[in-house]
Amino acid sequence: MSPTVSDLKIWQIVKAIPKGSILSYGEVARRAGYPKGARQVARALKIAPEELNLPWHRVVGAGHRISIPADSAAFKRQVRLLKREGFVVKGRRIVVAEISSLDRALWG
DNA sequence: CAAATGACGGGGT
DNA sequence: AACCCCGCCATTT
């Protein structure tokens, strides 16, 4: 598959997520101008060229859940990268202490 | 062309 | 929390 214009836009947005913060697939989709495109965001990340060095691990499911299949290598990789940035991860979940810090996590 | 798929989301049980 | 169900939609079967 070759990248579409929407893929480029999605990559651009993910690229701009600051270290230490996370966004949901749906949120990235909205910011890219595709309010119903959460699944397309997931696809765009999956096919993203490695050399773009996208911080794909900062994109999680709504409700702070890691959406990658828990048995995959990519899952473990995402957990490791998130912890490296200070997040507390329990199983497939990203724990956020306060409500206010939740907002901060959603965009620095 | 019809059916299945999925790194999704929101609601309900 | 753990499921199930349905809407959504580009891609792939």
Side-chain angles (χ1 to χ4, degrees):
Chain A
M1 270 307 299
S2 56
T4 68
V5 268
S6 50
D7 289 327
L8 301 179
K9 215 158 181 179
I10 289 167
W11 292 342
Q12 174 186 347
I13 290 175
V14 171
K15 183 83 173 177
I17 303 176
K19 180 168 63 172
S21 60
I22 56 181
L23 284 184
S24 68
Y25 295 90
E27 186 55 31
V28 171
R30 279 189 288 283
R31 293 180 183 213
Y34 306 92
K36 311 286 184 168
R39 300 192 102 121
Q40 283 59 245
V41 170
R43 168 182 166 280
L45 291 184
K46 191 160 66 168
I47 70 172
E50 185 58 41
E51 48 283 14
L52 286 184
N53 291 314
L54 292 184
W56 57 271
H57 60 284
R58 299 187 186 134
V59 182
V60 303
H64 311 139
R65 287 183 162 292
I66 294 179
S67 298
I68 298 177
D71 53 9
S72 68
F75 174 86
K76 297 197 215 52
R77 191 152 55 238
Q78 181 165 29
V79 171
R80 181 173 56 73
L81 292 171
L82 286 173
K83 285 183 174 176
R84 175 192 288 179
E85 295 187 8
F87 289 100
V88 175
V89 183
K90 282 183 157 184
R92 348 192 33 236
R93 232 175 187 195
I94 297 169
V95 181
V96 181
E98 317 167 24
I99 305 281
S100 53
S101 67
L102 189 162
D103 294 325
R104 235 175 299 119
L106 286 178
W107 200 220

